[in-house]
């Protein structure tokens, strides 16, 4: 992947080349920077990922948690990001914004300079993946015929003497009447929900939850939450049977390791994301992405994050979506909540939130930070325990760990 990098000068250090970029607090040790440069530039061969190698070097240099660290790895078309301390990675469309300000918005937009690769003093960087440009194949024009010359040599006599079959052309075969009742031709479009389901969506004030396909044994979701036979308030409506490609879970895969309990966690994490227990050193493996937690609604319902979520008064899948998200219908009397208000999407191990240019806006509160108003159409990486307040009337919370109903 070709990446265009721009940076703002500062008191931190930006190291990077190609798909691997690191923004960190200056360790004050050139040997440490040389080690990290050897990793991101590919000069050091290792079976471990670039992210794992950088984390090992940084943890040793700072004897534990660094003051600020942001890592982005765009290798093989994937996206891996790590934030430590004041380091922060923000997703804005296809761009990745690395900073050492904890995610705070700068008072003024800093001047950005282009960097092809290397080591510079910086406090902020923007990575913009560029599409590969392929020139169209060259078309060689055929030489023009010689003026006045013959275009063909001639037509063989046997072709000129050939005739068609005797008699009128055959009549088309008509299907017998008794076969019409057993027509196996095209049926109705099965890629869209049936009319009954559309009618139920239009009623609003309920949640449409796609049945989870992940292993309940992962510990992220309680097997009895949202059971159709235990629907205490009738607000949960399950989808009817749909086409097979809409029933399948996401096919995305991630690099993962396991804790001693068996929970899957990111390969660069030293503690389990579910039970917070230490993770023993092991070789990462690529597995189907597990459920990344749950979205706790004010009603006590938990929407499993095995796929995206759309919230609003009349939510629907976003244009161009390849899977069917969970649809959370908010009460119609919440006039400042838009029909399509908030979108939750999954990107690798990251859970992203995007305000859909809503009328009432969305306030994001990260643990230990002041609330901030989300900019429309910009993606924010959510942290466990953060809350999203839609138009200041409907608050949801992102939870990771054993999720049980209150």
């Amino acid at each position: 992947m070709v990446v265009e990098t721009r940076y703002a000068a500062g008191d931190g250090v930006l190291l990077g080349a190609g798909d691997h970029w690191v923004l960190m607090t200056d360790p004050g040790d050139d040997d440490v920077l040389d080690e990290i440069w050897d990793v991101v530039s590919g000069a050091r061969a290792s079976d471990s990922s670039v992210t794992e190698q950088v984390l090992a070097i940084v943890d040793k240099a700072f004897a534990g948690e660094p003051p600020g660290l942001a890592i982005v790895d765009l290798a093989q078309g994937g996206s891996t990001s790590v934030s430590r301390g004041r380091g922060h990675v923000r997703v804005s469309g296809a761009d990745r914004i690395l900073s050492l300000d904890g995610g705070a918005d700068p008072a003024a937009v800093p001047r950005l300079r282009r960097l092809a690769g290397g080591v510079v003093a910086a406090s902020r960087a923007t990575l913009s993946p560029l599409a590969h440009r392929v020139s169209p194949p060259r078309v060689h024009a055929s030489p023009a015929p010689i003026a006045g010359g013959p275009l063909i040599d001639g037509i063989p006599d046997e072709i000129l003497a050939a005739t068609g079959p005797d008699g009128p052309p055959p009549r088309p075969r008509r299907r017998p009447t008794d076969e019409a009742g057993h027509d196996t031709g095209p049926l109705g479009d099965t890629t869209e929900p049936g009319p009954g389901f559309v009618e139920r969506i239009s009623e609003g004030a309920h949640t449409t939850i796609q049945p989870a396909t992940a292993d309940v044994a992962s510990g992220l979701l309680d097997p009895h939450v949202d059971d159709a036979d235990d629907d205490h308030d009738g607000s949960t409506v399950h989808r009817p049977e749909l086409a097979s490609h809409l029933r399948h879970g996401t096919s995305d895969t991630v690099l993962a390791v396991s804790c001693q309990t068996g929970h899957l966690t990111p390969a660069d994490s030293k503690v389990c994301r579910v039970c917070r227990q230490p993770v023993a050193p092991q070789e990462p493996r690529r597995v189907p992405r597990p459920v990344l937690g749950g979205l706790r609604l004010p009603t006590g319902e938990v929407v499993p994050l095995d796929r995206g979520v759309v919230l609003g008064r009349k939510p629907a899948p976003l244009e161009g979506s390849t899977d069917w998200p969970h649809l959370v219908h908010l009460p119609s009397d919440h006039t400042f909540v838009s029909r399509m208000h908030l979108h939750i999407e999954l990107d690798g191990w990251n859970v992203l939130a995007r305000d859909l240019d809503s009328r009432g806006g969305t306030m994001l509160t990260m643990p230990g930070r002041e609330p901030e108003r989300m900019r429309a159409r910009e993606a924010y990486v959510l942290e466990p325990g953060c809350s999203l307040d839609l138009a200041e009337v409907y608050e949801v919370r992102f939870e990771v760990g054993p999720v049980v109903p209150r």
Side-chain angles (χ1 to χ4, degrees), residues 28-170:
D29 188 339
D30 290 344
D31 291 338
V32 173
L33 297 180
D34 288 343
E35 283 190 78
I36 297 177
W37 171 250
D38 288 342
V39 172
V40 298
S41 64
R44 175 190 293 187
S46 175
D47 294 333
S48 301
S49 67
V50 170
T51 301
E52 291 177 296
Q53 296 179 71
V54 172
L55 287 174
I57 296 172
V58 172
D59 289 345
K60 181 180 179 180
F62 290 97
E65 190 73 13
L69 174 67
I71 305 174
V72 170
D73 185 354
L74 300 173
Q76 298 178 354
S79 174
T80 300
S81 60
V82 175
S83 301
R84 295 282 181 86
R86 295 287 296 170
H88 186 263
V89 178
R90 173 178 292 173
V91 180
S92 179
D95 295 351
R96 301 294 187 271
I97 302 174
L98 292 73
S99 63
L100 296 176
D101 55 10
D105 293 327
V109 178
R111 178 187 176 188
L112 298 179
R113 302 170 179 172
R114 183 173 296 177
L115 177 67
V119 182
V120 295
S123 61
R124 189 180 185 89
T126 299
L127 310 180
S128 302
L130 302 179
H132 296 286
R133 297 181 181 271
V134 180
S135 59
R138 180 176 299 177
V139 179
H140 299 280
S142 302
I146 301 175
L151 297 180
I152 58 175
D153 295 334
I155 301 177
D157 294 338
E158 57 270 18
I159 293 180
L160 293 175
T163 59
D166 296 334

Side-chain angles (χ1 to χ4, degrees), residues 167-376:
R171 300 177 61 184
R173 178 182 179 271
R174 297 181 178 275
R175 179 178 299 176
T177 305
D178 57 349
E179 293 183 13
H182 299 83
D183 187 5
T184 57
L187 301 176
D189 186 3
T190 59
T191 63
E192 297 293 337
F197 179 54
V198 174
E199 181 180 353
R200 287 156 64 181
I201 288 180
S202 64
E203 294 174 359
H206 64 267
T207 306
T208 303
I209 298 180
Q210 167 73 13
T213 58
D215 188 357
V216 178
S218 64
L220 287 173
L221 296 174
D222 186 278
H224 301 295
V225 176
D226 297 331
D227 193 325
D229 297 331
D230 191 30
D231 191 357
H232 60 282
D233 58 3
S235 64
T236 300
V237 178
H238 292 277
R239 281 176 52 193
E241 193 73 8
L242 295 178
S244 59
H245 72 281
L246 293 180
R247 294 197 303 271
H248 291 166
T250 174
S251 59
D252 289 349
T253 60
V254 291
L255 279 177
V257 292
S258 300
C259 70
Q260 60 184 1
T261 310
H263 300 141
L264 293 175
T265 201
D268 54 20
S269 179
K270 294 185 177 180
V271 296
C272 176
R273 67 189 180 93
V274 179
C275 62
R276 310 306 299 173
Q277 295 297 314
V279 177
Q282 58 192 276
E283 187 67 24
R285 62 189 188 279
R286 185 162 292 278
V287 299
R289 179 173 56 206
V291 179
L292 297 186
L295 205 63
R296 174 80 64 174
L297 308 183
T299 60
E301 282 186 274
V302 177
V303 181
L305 294 179
D306 59 334
R307 63 187 62 233
V309 183
V310 180
L311 302 93
R313 289 187 291 113
K314 289 189 176 181
L318 270 64
E319 183 177 355
S321 176
T322 57
D323 67 347
W324 188 275
H326 300 301
L327 304 178
V328 178
H329 296 251
L330 308 186
S332 57
D333 56 351
H334 290 173
T335 56
F336 284 95
V337 175
S338 298
R339 294 186 177 191
M340 298 279 286
H341 195 106
L342 185 71
H343 180 216
I344 304 295
E345 58 182 312
L346 310 183
D347 180 13
W349 286 104
N350 293 326
V351 178
L352 310 179
R354 196 188 307 269
D355 183 277
L356 301 176
D357 200 10
S358 62
R359 178 182 181 186
T362 304
M363 296 296 294
L364 170 63
T365 305
M366 294 290 193
R369 302 181 192 172
E370 293 296 322
E372 63 173 315
R373 187 178 183 87
M374 296 175 61
R375 288 186 284 270

